[in-house]
């Protein structure tokens, strides 16, 4: 045999090329199983768990799970093994060793511990094959999004998270002591991305978003990763919706192209999504565009489904928003009727939308805004913004806000802004629904909630 | 002529393809100049300022600077014009108009106003051609970095910014009221990226970093964009340095390939950088590797340059760090001797490095760490971390820290971590030095400092 340089491998898919050769690999000892006369030794590499075989007891008995090692092995053809190759360990160098046994079992296919426990021991439980696959998927989603942003000429920006005022209003804002002055953590990059739409026309940001919401639900965390874009020169907020479909499509394509391993591991089926969104009715055929409903139509659909009487209907409309159960039910109805797991709800009542949202000139109680609901959960809020100074100031006054406190925000309106709009998508929410998790915390690396500040 | 669909153009480089055709463009009116019998009308598009010509007074006189418009124009061959084409305006649709004149002049090549004023009116001054080019360059740097990270199999992560403890220690940490509990804003993703190196081996994050430093200098802002990476299974911290060179190379290549327009506008010359870093001596030839000096060697070099006596030398060494003036002088000496605008300083004294930094086993007062100085300013700090639990706990105790308060951080050490290390680069600092700005604020979109919280 010709002499070759010893190859360092890290993925199972590389093995077949090296049959008959000596290879090296490095990683953590994931699991050792003693068999009759030999051992299976599974090694965790950055993306795989690679099984090796060893018949030298003295070598295996000094190895502990979670030790970090460099292994030299021979790749031997073996039909029964994964990828048709078995790795016979020749030698092991131990680089570091754990001090104690794991407080939770992480090397089973399924982790049989509570979510609470998973989160308490996050630095360890993320070493589990399936747990970490979640965050590979999340990386893949974002890579897809970024490819979309590059193709569509959005400029990436970084806006401050310590701010002088909350964009979304309300009480759910964290306070920071800023050298003795009161400041807040940004509830969204809203103000800044609008300003930047006046500079670059199309901008995007991926960054932390802070919401001091006190509710302790499966849908909320207090710090999440916002994927935001904003663009000028729109003629309708529907352009934003069409772009969002393209953006989601990019992410799904990225996943099916490069993350098949993780999708299989997590047993996930990607949702269907049209190539281009042509807004159409609820009667859309499967594989067609994302169905689109006005807020009032959606409320009616729900009332119908529930067989509500007149009074109950009025009450439901008056809430100006959906209860979580309503979002779930809506999703289900739409799925039944059209086969779509996504649904756009448009024209939310002005009463429940922030002050910068554009009202529908033909029906001022409604806004030129939308939410995207995916598998029963709102993952995006977007819409057209007010670009006219007088209109904005008038609306702020109507709401009892003091425009003077927003001087640096209103500067752009005063000096010329194009018609513009944008949206924000919660990365953890999208990941969670894509993977069919009940709790958003499963899709957050180190979640923060009203009770949790560690790890 | 064959009938064609009217093309919407936005860059000067597109014009030549459309000679003899009618085109549309949209943007803000940047500047109107009245000439003899006609007007020059410059339109700001996302990346260019495109000059149009119009001889219809009634049309031009109703146009205000910073109005947002859609223009229909004829592209006519004209040797004297930029790109050899002149755009003759046929019609203009006004989409929005400013309410007042600009409080600062933004449509001159050079903005002749103070930095203070530039920052006060940031939403407007960023509309200046050169001001916004800075942030295109910044986007380009980051695109280059991200290409590097993808190629080198780093996984992008998002770690919490509200944390239970500061990683870098000291008093310069912002406090947050977290539902009545005390929490902090992350001084770096240090703890989390280390944990994740135990999961994915190679990780990176781009995100905000918060430092409550009270000094008001041209080198400091209180919130900046950190570009962090961390990797396992290193044999030496020099691997990190070699990777950083690759990473910087990717950014510089991206800029020279896709940002020539902005580089020209800002009159920037990119620094030379070797294709691969082969660590070598200060005597390196121009275009060779980045020179590398030990901290003590650097101090000696400075003492030599300044002609310091024995006592003054001792004093300089005892500071365990460099003064800003020393960094500048070092850069200058290295540039004079080797032609390199970058220099690595290694083996910083343990006394001035955080508790997680690995000490040199052969000389425990020194650490396996480095800074990268670029054009007189430190832009990166990196090094190998302690991966052994006992070594880490012992060092914390030596420093009077309570390991129990860091239980969730030390979890990874206790249960097996590979030898690992990483680095953090300040995006604004790198941008500022690349563009030869004296003040880092010029390279921050909306800077935060001890006095500035708006816009």
């Amino acid at each position: 045999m010709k002499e070759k340089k010893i190859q360092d491998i890290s993925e199972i898919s590389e093995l077949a090329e090296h049959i008959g050769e000596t290879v090296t690999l490095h990683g953590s000892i994931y699991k050792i199983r003693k068999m009759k006369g030999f051992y299976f030794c599974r090694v965790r590499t950055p993306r795989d768990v690679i099984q090796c075989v060893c018949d030298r007891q003295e070598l295996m008995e000094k190895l502990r799970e979670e030790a970090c090692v460099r292994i030299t092995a021979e790749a031997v053809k073996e039909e029964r093994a994964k990828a048709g190759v078995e790795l016979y360990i020749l030698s092991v160098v131990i680089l570091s060793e754990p001090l104690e046994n794991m407080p939770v079992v992480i090397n089973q296919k399924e982790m049989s511990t509570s979510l609470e426990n998973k989160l308490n021991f996050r630095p360890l439980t993320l070493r589990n094959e399936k747990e970490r696959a979640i965050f590979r998927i999340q990386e893949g989603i974002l890579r897809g999004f970024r490819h979309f942003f590059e193709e569509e000429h959005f400029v990436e920006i970084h806006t401050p998270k310590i701010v002088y005022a909350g964009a979304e209003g309300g009480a759910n804002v964290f306070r920071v002591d800023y050298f003795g002055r009161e400041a807040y953590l940004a509830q969204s990059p809203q103000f800044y991305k609008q300003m930047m739409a006046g500079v670059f026309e199309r901008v995007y940001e991926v960054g932390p978003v802070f919401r001091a919401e006190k509710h302790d639900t499966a849908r909320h965390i207090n710090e999440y990763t916002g994927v935001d874009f904003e663009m000028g020169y729109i003629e309708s907020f529907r352009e934003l919706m069409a772009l969002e479909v393209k953006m989601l499509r990019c992410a799904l394509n990225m996943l099916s192209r490069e993350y098949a391993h993780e999708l299989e591991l997590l047993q996930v089926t990607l949702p269907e999504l049209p190539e281009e969104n042509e807004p159409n009715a609820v009667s859309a055929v499967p594989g067609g565009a994302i169905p689109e409903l006005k807020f009032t139509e959606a409320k009616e659909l729900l009332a119908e489904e529930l067989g509500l009487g007149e009074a109950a209907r009025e009450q439901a409309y008056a809430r100006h928003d959906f209860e979580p159960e309503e979002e779930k039910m809506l999703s289900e109805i739409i799925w039944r009727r059209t086969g779509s797991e996504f649904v756009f709800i448009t024209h939310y009542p002005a009463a429940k939308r922030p002050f910068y949202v554009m009202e529908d000139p033909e029906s001022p109680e409604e806004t030129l805004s939308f939410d995207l609901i995916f598998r029963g959960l709102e993952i995006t809020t977007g819409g057209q913004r007010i670009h006219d100074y007088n209109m904005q100031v008038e609306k702020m006054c109507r709401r009892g806000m003091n425009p003077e406190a927003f001087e640096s925000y209103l500067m752009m309106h005063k000096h010329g802004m194009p018609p513009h709009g944008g949206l924000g998508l919660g990365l953890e929410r999208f990941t969670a629904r894509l993977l069919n998790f009940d709790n958003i915390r499963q899709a957050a690396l180190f979640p923060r909630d009203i009770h949790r500040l560690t790890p």
Side-chain angles (χ1 to χ4, degrees), chain A residues 44-56:
Chain A
R44 191 177 68 238
T45 62
R47 201 162 183 174
D48 269 327
V49 172
I50 300 181
Q51 181 159 291
C52 302
V53 177
C54 186
D55 55 10
R56 288 161 58 194

Side-chain angles (χ1 to χ4, degrees), chain A residues 22 46 57 71 123-124 129 142 157 161-162 189 224 238 287 302 324 364 373 386 419 438 449:
Chain A
T22 298
Q57 189 176 356
I71 289 177
L124 307 180
E129 229 183 324
L142 204 48
I157 55 173
K161 303 308 159 204
I162 302 179
Y224 68 85
R238 285 207 169 73
L302 286 167
I373 298 179
I386 296 173
D438 293 328
D449 65 30

Side-chain angles (χ1 to χ4, degrees), chain A residues 2-42:
Chain A
K2 230 174 70 183
E3 204 162 323
K4 278 193 180 180
K5 191 172 166 275
I6 291 181
Q7 281 291 317
D8 197 55
I9 60 134
S10 77
E11 293 188 21
I12 291 172
S13 60
E14 296 171 272
L15 285 178
E17 300 162 34
H18 297 287
I19 292 177
E21 294 173 21
T22 298
V23 297
T24 57
L25 70 159
H26 63 262
S28 295
I29 301 296
Y30 196 50
K31 194 171 193 169
I32 296 180
R33 264 202 304 161
K34 192 174 178 174
M35 310 299 283
K36 255 200 186 134
F38 71 97
Y39 296 80
F40 278 129
C41 173
R42 305 189 73 210

Side-chain angles (χ1 to χ4, degrees), chain A residues 43 48 56 71 121 145 191 263 278 341-342 378 387 389 429:
Chain A
V43 182
D48 269 327
R56 288 161 58 194
I71 289 177
F121 295 105
F145 286 168
F191 292 176
L263 291 172
E278 285 167 23
E341 297 191 275
F342 294 93
E378 174 250 301
H387 60 275
Y389 180 80
R429 277 197 174 189

